Amino acid sequence: MLSSTSSSLLVVVKILLTLASITSLTESFSTVSLTQRSNNFNIICPPSSSSSSCLHAISNPLRRRQRSSSSTDTTTTTDTTKNKRQAKHSNLIQHITSITDYKDHVVDETHNITVVRFYSHFCRSCRASEPHFFQLARDFQHHNVNFVEVPLTPSTKVLHEALGVPSLPWTHIYHPEAGLVEERKVSKKFIEEVRSALRCYVYGECDVEEDAPADCRVVYGECAIDDGGGNVE
């Protein structure tokens, strides 16, 4: 009788231990732990959470990672395009990145006329007028004219401010003997005005207004003006 009772107790104990193990395993599997070391995020969904809310919590970091990756790709593409553009026109246009560069290539120039374009990579008008400025550089590349670009960056911001650049895109024309002789807008709408002004200093072909003074021999060119008696000076 005692042996039978002991056997029954052992069976009951074994059953209880088995149930306890099953309960422990069930609780451990109901807690979802996701770890992705390559993306550096850990997400734990407690047993009380629904599967949909858990998946939503998982997907949010993934979306942020995807947006960050997309933004990085866009920045890389922009930088690559900018570098290709600069390399393509490097033989025509000098790119200034510091005040020292500006002094060396613009202020201290003693032989050629220098045309400076101030612009920003984020300026829509600058991007729209850029091809026209490049064409201007190609047209005057054999006429002793230097073309320079100064982008608006943290290292050139002080230079823009010191030179009083009021808007972008903006241009300065420097003559080797007279210094700064022109300050103009150089957007797409005004690019031909810049061309006319440049022709005046390069070829001596100036567009003169009717009330311009008779002695228009300024800087480089001699402007032909009718003195009123049919004689052109």
Side-chain angles (χ1 to χ4, degrees), residues 160-220:
H160 278 237
E161 294 175 350
L163 294 172
V165 176
S167 62
L168 297 175
W170 191 259
T171 188
H172 282 180
I173 298 178
Y174 291 84
H175 190 275
E177 297 177 6
L180 178 61
V181 292
E182 293 283 346
E183 296 182 74
R184 292 176 175 270
K185 293 181 179 180
V186 70
S187 57
K188 185 177 179 180
K189 179 180 178 180
F190 297 99
I191 192 70
E192 290 306 315
E193 293 183 10
V194 175
R195 181 185 295 274
S196 297
L198 186 56
R199 287 179 64 88
C200 180
Y201 299 107
V202 175
Y203 304 121
E205 299 176 358
C206 306
D207 296 329
V208 181
E209 299 178 1
E210 294 181 358
D211 57 349
D215 54 345
C216 187
R217 296 179 177 85
V218 290
V219 188
Y220 209 150

Side-chain angles (χ1 to χ4, degrees), residues 10 17 25 36 53 94 97 128 168 190 195 206:
L10 287 175
L17 290 173
L25 288 173
Q36 186 171 338
S53 62
Q94 179 69 41
T97 58
L168 297 175
F190 297 99
R195 181 185 295 274
C206 306

